[in-house]
């Protein structure tokens, strides 16, 4: 849904706008579900954990990820991120939260990493070329070493955020926790987007694009955040990190249906490895 809008807005504007729409949706959900009492009753430590983990993941981590895409491309950035992020999260969660690491989880992690890497390699060359042209914070294109450093920093930010969310959510339910995290992220991103891009919306940006951005924000960050928080609270930080790295497994069938992408042998093999890995982890 957001591919065309990223071309028009750039990564920073898009991230800020979709977060704003998601925040509005989640605030309404907090009020409608009666979760406002949970927000009012949360203590300072929980509030700091929710705000900090949200800004760290969606504000810092996602922005670093978008920046790395423009330098080293999706063909390198995606496999590195889906390999480093789950492993870092597992290590941090094991020491911080005493989450158990079993051989099934380790084997499943290895299969998922291998499967997603094949999915990315077998994916659309057109999409990879598009992602490689996305703008970064900088006006110049630095060397690949900086791009690699950025994607590693993004993985560290996501791993710490996921573990921090698990450790600090307290008695907050998924709706309340997601609402606080996304609202804080939106409040942090909007002024950054305005300053870096000289305005949140480009001149002539129409209602059709705004509707697509709103829908993508509500689905991806709004509903997605509720499901993500629920998974972290119930399944643990480590398992959630592994399972969220299977995004290409679900994105590729949609690309085949709506974008008429072709499936090759690498995609089929990668899908089978991911499914087996998910079965072992879950």
């Amino acid at each position: 849904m957001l591919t065309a809008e990223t071309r028009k807005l750039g990564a920073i504007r898009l991230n800020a706008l979709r977060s704003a729409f998601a925040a509005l949706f989640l605030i309404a959900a907090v009020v409608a579900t009666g979760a406002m009492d949970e927000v009012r009753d949360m203590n300072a430590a929980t509030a700091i954990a929710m705000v900090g983990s949200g800004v760290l993941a969606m504000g810092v981590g996602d922005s670093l990820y978008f920046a790395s895409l423009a330098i080293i491309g999706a063909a390198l950035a995606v496999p590195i991120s889906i390999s480093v992020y789950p492993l870092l999260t597992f290590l941090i969660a094991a020491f911080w939260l005493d989450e158990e690491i079993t051989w099934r989880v380790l084997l499943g992690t290895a299969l998922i990493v291998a499967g997603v890497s094949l999915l990315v390699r077998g994916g659309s060359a057109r999409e990879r070329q598009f992602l490689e042209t996305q703008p970064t914070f900088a006006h110049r294109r630095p060397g690949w070493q900086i791009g690699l450093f950025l994607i590693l920093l993004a993985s560290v930010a996501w791993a710490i955020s996921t573990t921090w969310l698990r450790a600090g959510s307290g008695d907050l339910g998924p709706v309340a926790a997601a609402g606080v995290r996304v609202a804080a992220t939106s409040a942090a991103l909007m002024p950054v987007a305005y300053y870096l891009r000289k305005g949140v919306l480009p001149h002539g940006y129409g209602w059709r694009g705004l509707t697509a951005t709103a829908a993508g924000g509500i689905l991806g960050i709004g509903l997605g955040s509720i499901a993500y928080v629920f998974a972290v609270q119930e399944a643990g930080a480590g398992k959630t990190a592994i399972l969220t790295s299977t995004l290409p497994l679900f994105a590729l069938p949609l690309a085949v249906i709506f974008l008429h992408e072709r499936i090759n042998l690498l995609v089929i093999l990668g899908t089978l490895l991911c499914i087996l890995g998910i079965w072992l982890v879950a």
Side-chain angles (χ1 to χ4, degrees):
M1 290 181 66
L2 296 177
T3 298
E5 305 316 311
T6 310
R7 295 188 180 99
K8 300 173 187 175
L9 296 172
I12 304 303
R13 274 177 173 163
L14 179 64
N15 204 16
L17 269 180
R18 66 178 189 149
S19 297
F21 283 115
L24 293 175
F25 166 78
L26 285 170
I27 290 171
V30 166
V31 174
T33 59
M36 185 61 74
D37 291 337
E38 298 176 27
V39 176
R40 282 195 295 261
D41 293 339
M42 69 177 173
N43 56 38
T46 301
I48 292 172
M50 295 303 96
V51 171
S53 66
V55 173
L56 188 59
M58 293 173 278
V60 177
D62 288 359
S63 296
L64 290 171
Y65 175 72
F66 286 135
S68 71
L69 286 176
I71 300 171
I72 63 176
L76 283 177
V78 174
I80 291 172
S81 65
I82 59 96
S83 301
V84 176
Y85 162 55
L87 295 178
L88 279 178
T89 306
F90 253 120
L91 291 175
I92 295 173
F95 285 101
W96 190 355
L97 305 176
D98 294 324
E99 289 191 2
E100 184 180 6
I101 301 178
T102 65
W103 71 266
R104 284 176 59 96
V105 172
L106 291 175
L107 179 58
T109 301
L111 291 175
I112 289 173
V113 168
V116 173
S117 298
L118 291 177
L119 287 173
V120 173
R121 289 178 63 85
S124 168
R126 184 178 69 249
E127 290 302 316
R128 290 200 300 270
Q129 290 170 358
F130 159 67
L131 288 171
E132 290 171 359
T133 65
Q134 291 308 296
T136 69
F137 288 114
H139 297 291
R140 294 177 296 175
R141 293 171 63 86
W144 66 269
Q145 296 94 336
I146 295 181
L148 180 60
F149 180 67
L150 291 177
I151 195 62
L152 292 176
L153 277 183
S155 299
V156 171
W158 292 331
I160 294 175
S161 170
T162 302
T163 312
W164 196 3
L165 169 63
R166 168 73 168 174
S169 60
D171 295 328
L172 287 181
V175 176
V180 174
R181 295 177 85 245
V182 175
T185 302
S186 176
L189 281 175
M190 290 299 281
V192 174
Y194 184 86
Y195 174 76
L196 292 177
R197 307 298 295 175
K198 307 303 180 184
V200 177
L201 288 175
H203 180 70
Y205 191 64
W207 282 103
R208 184 174 181 179
L210 202 60
T211 302
T213 302
I218 290 171
L219 289 173
I221 300 183
L223 294 175
S225 290
I226 295 174
Y228 169 77
V229 172
F230 180 80
V232 170
Q233 291 177 336
E234 298 297 325
K239 286 186 177 181
T240 301
I242 292 173
L243 296 176
T244 54
S245 70
T246 59
L247 168 65
L249 176 64
F250 302 96
L252 281 173
L254 296 176
V256 171
I257 296 172
F258 296 105
L259 302 179
H260 308 292
E261 301 286 352
R262 295 183 179 181
I263 295 179
N264 54 39
L265 183 61
L266 288 178
V267 172
I268 295 174
L269 180 58
T271 300
L272 293 176
L273 288 177
C274 282
I275 292 173
L276 179 58
I278 291 171
W279 176 75
L280 287 172
V281 171

